Amino acid sequence: MGVLRSTHSLQAEVEEMRAALFHSGGWQPSAGDAGVKRATGGQEGAAAERTVCVTGGISFVGFAIVDRLLRHGYTVRLALETQEDLDKLREMEMFGEEGRDGVWTVMANVMEPESLHRAFDGCAGVFHTSAFVDPGGMSGYTKHMATLEAQAAERVIEACVRTESVRKCVFTSSLLACVWRQSYPHDRDRRGPSIIDENCWSDDTFCRDNKLWSALGKTAAEKAAWRAARGRDLKLVTVCPALVTGPGFRRRNSTASIAYLKGAQAMLAEGVLATVNVETVAEAHVRAYEAMADNRAGGRYICYDRVIQRPEEFAELERQLGIPSRTATVQSVEDRPARFELCKKKLGRLMSSRRRCTYDDYYPVTFQ
C-alpha cells in the first residue's frame, strides 16, 4: 500500500514531518542510536495499559495521531508495512535506544492475521488508520481497493479480538461513509435539509453505480469492522473525518484528497463537502479512546471543522491541492437550499468534556 516516491520527494516529506514534530513539542531527537528499535514482545503491568499500536502510523493522519498519543503520555508501537516506511523513520533520527522515546516499531501486513497478532500483542488498544491508495495516476482509489480495504478491516478487528491484551480499537473511517445517498422524490418535499449524523450510512449501490470507489471502500470497511466486532469482547469506536487538511497536506495527503474529492461538485451542492484539520482528527481519536474506558464513548463520530459552501472556497481547496479548477460548473449552497446538513453534536460533547461524566452510552452500531 506504499506509494513510490523520488529521493527528493521522500526527503522533503521527512523534513515536513520533522518540522511538524518540533513545532508541536512531540518527539525529540536523541543523542543515542539513530536507528529504529523494533518491538520484541508483550509488556506487563501498568505500562502495558498505556501501550497502543497504530497502523499506518506515518501516514498524514496516522502520524498526527502518534504525535498526539505521545503528548498524552502513551507508548506507541508503529505497525509498518514496507521497508520504505522504515527507511523514512530512520531518516528522521528521532528514536532513542530501546524505545525510550516512547516509540517502537514492528513490521506488520494488514492482510495477514498472524502478522497483526504479533504486532498487537502486549498493547491495550489499537488505532487502525491504515488505508489503501493508488500510487499510479490521479484516481487515488480503485474498485479493487475498496474490496481490499474491507478485507483488511475485518482482519484487523479479528486480530484485535484474538489478542488477549487488546481491549479497545479506534477505527479511522471517513465522512464519505455517511453522505452518499439515493435521491427519492419525497426528499424534495421536505421543508428543511435532512440531517446527516452518525446514524447515516452511504448507499453501497449508489456508490457502485456512480463509481465512487473511495466512498464505497470506506463504507464497506467500516461495516466489515462493525460486523467483526459484534458480540465480541472488544470495544470499538469509529471516527469519520471529512477531507483532512493541515500543514503539508498537499504533499503528504494529495492522493487520498483527490480520491475523496471525486463527486465533490455534488457534495458541495448538497451541503456535505467539509474539511477538518489533521490536529482535530488526531485529538478526536485520542479523546474517544480515553473515554471508552468508562463507556463515555461508543459507536461512530462524524468529525469536521467547516462546511464548504461557496465556489470560491472550493476553488481555493483545488488550488491548494494543485488540481484543475472546476468551479465554473459548481453551484453554491447559497444559490439554492442544500438537501442535507451535517451534524457533529455527538463529537462536540465528547471534545468539550474530557474527564467529567457525560451521558453517552456504549452501544452497537446498526446498518442496512
Side-chain angles (χ1 to χ4, degrees):
M1 290 189 285
V3 179
L4 296 178
R5 302 176 178 86
S6 67
T7 303
H8 175 75
S9 175
L10 178 60
Q11 185 60 40
E13 186 168 332
V14 168
E15 290 305 317
E16 284 183 355
M17 294 166 82
R18 283 174 177 269
L21 287 175
F22 286 138
H23 177 72
S24 66
W27 298 334
Q28 297 294 329
S30 169
D33 185 3
V36 178
K37 182 68 180 180
R38 293 178 182 271
T40 56
Q43 299 172 341
E44 297 181 358
E49 292 298 316
R50 302 289 292 180
T51 301
V52 297
C53 185
V54 180
T55 68
I58 61 171
S59 67
F60 188 57
V61 171
F63 185 79
I65 291 172
V66 170
D67 180 43
R68 186 69 53 150
L69 285 165
L70 291 173
R71 288 197 235 170
H72 281 253
Y74 288 89
T75 297
V76 180
R77 185 180 299 176
L78 294 182
L80 305 179
E81 295 188 60
T82 67
Q83 182 63 40
E84 181 187 14
D85 291 341
L86 189 60
D87 291 343
K88 188 185 298 182
L89 288 180
R90 282 176 172 153
E91 289 218 15
M92 290 175 66
E93 299 180 353
M94 291 182 178
F95 298 86
E97 296 178 352
E98 299 180 357
R100 283 198 305 247
D101 290 332
V103 182
W104 298 63
T105 65
V106 61
M107 301 303 290
N109 188 329
V110 294
M111 302 302 288
E112 297 176 0
E114 284 296 332
S115 174
L116 290 169
H117 174 62
R118 289 193 297 270
F120 297 166
D121 186 34
C123 296
V126 171
F127 290 78
H128 179 55
T129 73
S130 182
F132 288 74
V133 294
D134 178 13
M138 293 289 288
S139 66
Y141 207 91
T142 65
K143 182 179 181 180
H144 180 57
M145 289 175 183
T147 301
L148 292 178
E149 190 154 355
Q151 292 174 353
E154 183 176 9
R155 289 169 190 179
V156 166
I157 298 302
E158 289 292 343
C160 286
V161 171
R162 180 183 169 191
T163 306
E164 185 177 354
S165 62
V166 175
R167 293 290 177 264
K168 299 180 286 184
C169 177
V170 181
F171 186 100
T172 309
S173 182
S174 172
L175 185 59
L176 293 179
C178 308
V179 300
W180 287 109
R181 317 280 292 280
Q182 295 279 8
S183 179
Y184 299 105
H186 65 266
D187 289 342
R188 299 185 181 90
D189 298 331
R190 294 178 182 270
R191 298 197 174 186
S194 299
I195 300 298
I196 298 289
D197 61 11
E198 294 80 11
N199 296 310
C200 299
W201 289 91
S202 289
D203 185 282
D204 293 1
T205 301
F206 182 86
C207 292
R208 288 192 186 93
D209 291 346
N210 291 275
K211 296 182 172 53
L212 299 166
W213 305 129
S214 185
L216 177 65
K218 299 303 181 185
T219 305
E222 189 184 350
K223 287 183 176 181
W226 282 114
R227 282 194 298 268
R230 183 181 296 152
R232 316 290 283 276
D233 186 20
L234 177 72
K235 289 184 176 181
L236 175 65
V237 157
T238 57
V239 179
C240 302
L243 177 66
V244 183
T245 61
F249 89 107
R250 175 176 177 174
R251 180 187 298 277
R252 301 197 55 228
N253 208 43
S254 62
T255 306
S257 299
I258 291 168
Y260 188 103
L261 288 173
K262 184 169 184 181
Q265 297 177 53
M267 285 192 283
L268 176 64
E270 299 290 6
V272 294
L273 180 58
T275 62
V276 60
N277 188 279
V278 69
E279 290 298 321
T280 302
V281 178
E283 184 66 15
H285 279 71
V286 178
R287 293 283 186 96
Y289 181 80
E290 294 184 337
M292 290 166 74
D294 55 4
N295 295 337
R296 289 184 295 113
R300 310 172 79 207
Y301 290 87
I302 282 180
C303 181
Y304 65 92
D305 287 327
R306 71 186 183 103
V307 178
I308 295 177
Q309 297 183 312
R310 298 189 302 276
E312 310 88 79
E313 295 177 290
F314 183 44
E316 174 60 19
L317 184 61
E318 291 179 314
R319 187 195 65 77
Q320 291 176 9
L321 282 168
I323 59 180
S325 176
R326 294 164 288 179
T327 55
T329 61
V330 173
Q331 185 180 34
S332 72
V333 174
E334 294 178 342
D335 294 332
R336 66 178 180 83
R339 192 157 64 101
F340 299 113
E341 180 180 332
L342 296 177
C343 175
K344 59 173 182 178
K345 290 182 179 179
K346 184 182 175 188
L347 180 63
R349 292 195 298 269
L350 178 68
M351 299 288 273
S352 64
S353 178
R354 184 173 179 187
R355 293 298 179 189
R356 67 181 177 85
C357 182
T358 61
Y359 181 76
D360 196 356
D361 291 336
Y362 188 84
Y363 57 90
V365 167
T366 59
F367 47 82
Q368 297 296 324

